[in-house]
Amino acid sequence: MTSERSFFEIVKERSAKITSALNALELAEQSLEKTKTAAAVRGDGGLIDVRDLALNVITAKKHLDEALAFLIESQLDEEEKVVS
């Protein structure tokens, strides 16, 4: 029973981490979409707000870093079990 519960907890935590990673990726996509729009505006000769551009890039990077961390964390329990 204990091993089943721990397996359940591992799967539950893994699912939560993967969900968090996917949410972070969606947020990064939103910031990247704004950055692509800014690039298109510049391509058409328009002016863009450089502060907004920097904020969007920084925000996208932050969310990509979060996604990376969540995906790695989702795998740590399994790797520890293999090592143990």
Side-chain angles (χ1 to χ4, degrees):
M1 184 77 169
T2 306
S3 64
E4 287 180 28
R5 187 176 187 292
S6 66
F7 176 74
F8 173 75
E9 288 300 318
I10 289 170
V11 171
K12 183 178 168 184
E13 288 175 19
R14 180 191 318 144
S15 295
K17 298 286 184 184
I18 292 170
T19 298
S20 294
L22 291 171
N23 289 337
L25 288 169
E26 286 180 17
L27 292 170
E29 285 176 344
Q30 291 173 8
S31 294
L32 289 172
E33 192 59 40
K34 292 175 185 176
T35 303
K36 288 198 293 189
T37 300
V41 168
R42 277 302 301 140
D44 288 340
L47 297 176
I48 57 173
D49 185 332
V50 177
R51 283 184 227 129
D52 284 345
L53 175 65
L55 180 61
N56 287 326
V57 170
I58 291 167
T59 301
K61 183 184 179 312
K62 174 187 158 240
H63 291 304
L64 289 172
D65 288 344
E66 290 172 350
L68 174 64
F70 286 128
L71 288 171
I72 290 171
E73 288 174 2
S74 76
Q75 190 168 312
L76 288 180
D77 285 337
E78 293 173 34
E79 289 179 355
E80 289 174 3
K81 294 229 180 260
V82 171
V83 173
S84 300

